[in-house]
Each structure stands twice: as structure tokens, then as C-alpha cells.
């Protein structure tokens, strides 16, 4: 495995793992009659509680895969 580390600006790193986790979430619900998004009274769209829990789990998975492949957030303190 390549030991060269790649560091992304924090905003880009968070955007990347969140986008990947949301793609996983949408894929896991593909073809199912489950609700992923709901609209608040003020018109804001957000994940349902079930989808939010799954999204959080997927974020953790994506972050572990990124770390395993030496992709890190700028300023991240690593455990060596």
C-alpha cells in the first residue's frame, strides 16, 4: 500500500465523506418504500431519524476507508 499521505482542506474532506455516505444511504434505500428525507415546518429538508442514524454509521465507514488509503483532513492529528 502507498504510504504517501494526502491531506484535504477540512471543508473538502467533510464534503467528500458526507457525499460518499449520502450516496451509500441512497443506494441502501434504492427501490425500497422508505423515507430518507422529511421537510420541517419551516421548509428545511432533513434526513428522517432512521436515515440520520444510518448516515452517521456510513460517515464512520467512509472515514475509516479514507484513512486506510492515507487520505486525511488537514490539521488532523493521527495516531501512529
Amino acid at each position: 500500500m502507498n504510504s504517501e499521505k494526502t491531506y484535504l482542506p477540512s471543508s473538502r474532506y467533510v464534503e467528500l465523506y458526507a457525499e460518499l455516505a449520502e450516496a451509500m444511504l441512497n443506494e441502501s434505500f434504492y427501490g425500497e418504500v422508505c423515507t430518507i428525507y422529511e421537510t420541517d415546518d419551516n421548509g428545511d429538508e432533513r434526513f428522517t431519524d432512521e436515515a440520520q442514524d444510518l448516515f452517521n454509521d456510513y460517515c464512520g465507514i467512509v472515514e475509516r476507508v479514507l484513512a486506510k488509503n492515507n487520505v486525511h483532513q488537514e490539521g488532523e492529528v493521527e495516531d501512529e
Side-chain angles (χ1 to χ4, degrees):
M1 178 180 275
N2 183 0
S3 63
E4 184 177 322
K5 291 180 171 50
T6 300
Y7 291 91
L8 299 175
S10 293
S11 62
R12 181 65 187 124
Y13 180 83
V14 171
E15 181 182 339
L16 176 62
Y17 83 68
E19 191 171 315
L20 290 168
E22 187 169 2
M24 292 169 65
L25 178 66
N26 284 314
E27 186 65 26
S28 68
F29 279 86
Y30 181 76
E32 301 216 6
V33 186
C34 296
T35 304
I36 297 175
Y37 303 99
E38 61 189 5
T39 304
D40 289 335
D41 292 338
N42 65 1
D44 290 345
E45 187 175 71
R46 65 180 187 89
F47 290 133
T48 62
D49 290 339
E50 178 185 13
Q52 184 66 58
D53 289 341
L54 194 52
F55 174 80
N56 293 344
D57 291 343
Y58 288 161
C59 283
I61 292 167
V62 170
E63 285 189 286
R64 286 189 297 276
V65 169
L66 291 172
K68 183 178 177 181
N69 287 278
N70 291 316
V71 177
H72 302 278
Q73 180 175 323
E74 279 183 346
E76 180 179 84
V77 177
E78 300 172 50
D79 296 327
E80 298 277 345

